[in-house]
Amino acid sequence: RAAATSATMPREIITVQVGQCGNQIGCRFWELALKEHAAYNTKARYDEALSSFFQNVDSRGDAPVSLPVGDGRGAIRALKARAVVVDMEEGVTNELLSGHMRDVFDTKQFITGQSGSGNNWACGSHHYGPMYRDTLLEAVRKQAEDADSLQGFMLLHSLGGGTGSGLGSYMLGALADEFPDVYRFSVSVFPSEDDDVVTSPYNAMLSCAALAEHDKKKKKK
């Protein structure tokens, strides 16, 4: 990685998008972030605002190189989202890889299963969580190592399904354990009153307990 410039303020945010809903929101988020920045920065420069969520990667050599922000006037080479994409079934993630935003994602940061969590919080939290813990944290560490001044993690997930609620809850706790001094923020979609998934209220209730415990950084005593 290219040498980092000195940073006085935390800047980068790593987004962890979990489950079908989390990945659908994530795809829309990245699209809007790029459109908003393009409207503001008409000269297509890689500045601090863009570096909060994207890496500027020079892939012309044998190994891709992450370019530093510098004075904020460097040209954009190839933008890669600071994201970890997680789902226990491949439907939505395959759509991301084949859709118009596919070049924004690093395929090495995709962690997928095949059978799903069956709308079961326990399956996501107690089965897939321990099974994929090392793989998940390694993907997060890779993103953290590419950050000059990591500010926080943003979790995108729903609370009604099994993967978003269960594995999302587990992931939030794992981040608290591994990165206790880094802020954690959750963008959580609650199930609607007329949700036809019978387990969604229970999934949401169990997820809320994890959010209350692990969301944001705990104050030091």
Side-chain angles (χ1 to χ4, degrees):
R1 186 166 68 92
T5 57
S6 59
T8 57
M9 293 290 290
R11 183 174 65 243
E12 295 93 352
I13 296 175
I14 297 172
T15 300
V16 183
Q17 43 195 74
V18 183
Q20 177 179 329
C21 180
N23 282 298
Q24 289 172 332
I25 293 174
C27 185
R28 186 62 174 154
F29 166 75
W30 297 114
E31 181 180 7
L32 291 175
L34 288 174
K35 287 182 178 179
E36 181 175 324
H37 187 268
Y40 167 77
N41 186 342
T42 57
K43 296 183 178 179
R45 300 300 185 186
Y46 185 62
D47 56 15
E48 289 191 357
L50 195 59
S51 72
S52 294
F53 292 99
F54 295 91
Q55 294 184 60
N56 189 22
V57 178
D58 187 346
S59 57
R60 293 175 295 177
D62 294 334
V65 177
S66 182
L67 303 174
V69 175
D71 60 4
R73 299 178 182 177
I76 294 175
R77 296 292 184 183
L79 294 177
K80 293 294 182 182
R82 300 185 188 274
V84 178
V85 179
V86 184
D87 202 355
M88 291 299 102
E89 53 186 350
E90 298 177 329
V92 175
T93 55
N94 285 340
E95 291 178 8
L96 294 180
L97 291 173
S98 61
H100 66 286
M101 295 292 291
R102 60 186 178 274
D103 292 335
V104 171
F105 297 103
D106 183 351
T107 57
K108 296 179 181 178
Q109 297 300 102
F110 277 60
I111 301 168
T112 60
Q114 293 183 338
S115 59
S117 299
N119 294 318
N120 188 321
W121 181 91
C123 182
S125 178
H126 297 335
H127 177 63
Y128 287 123
M131 179 186 296
Y132 285 92
R133 180 185 177 93
D134 292 343
T135 304
L136 290 165
L137 289 176
E138 182 59 30
V140 172
R141 289 190 196 98
K142 173 63 171 60
Q143 290 293 325
E145 289 170 359
D146 288 334
D148 293 332
S149 184
L150 180 60
Q151 179 178 177
F153 298 105
M154 180 170 66
L155 175 68
L156 307 179
H157 68 142
S158 73
L159 304 186
T163 300
S165 66
L167 188 54
S169 299
Y170 185 91
M171 190 64 192
L172 197 62
L175 291 174
D177 292 339
E178 295 293 319
F179 302 90
D181 296 325
V182 180
Y183 282 96
R184 301 170 298 279
F185 306 95
S186 299
V187 179
S188 306
V189 178
F190 282 78
S192 63
E193 292 183 2
D194 56 353
D195 195 315
D196 58 358
V197 178
V198 68
T199 56
S200 63
Y202 304 96
N203 295 336
M205 178 183 65
L206 293 166
S207 298
C208 285
L211 290 173
E213 181 177 0
H214 300 300
D215 195 25
K216 299 192 172 55
K217 185 175 66 172
K218 291 184 178 180
K219 296 181 179 179
K220 295 181 179 179
K221 295 182 179 180

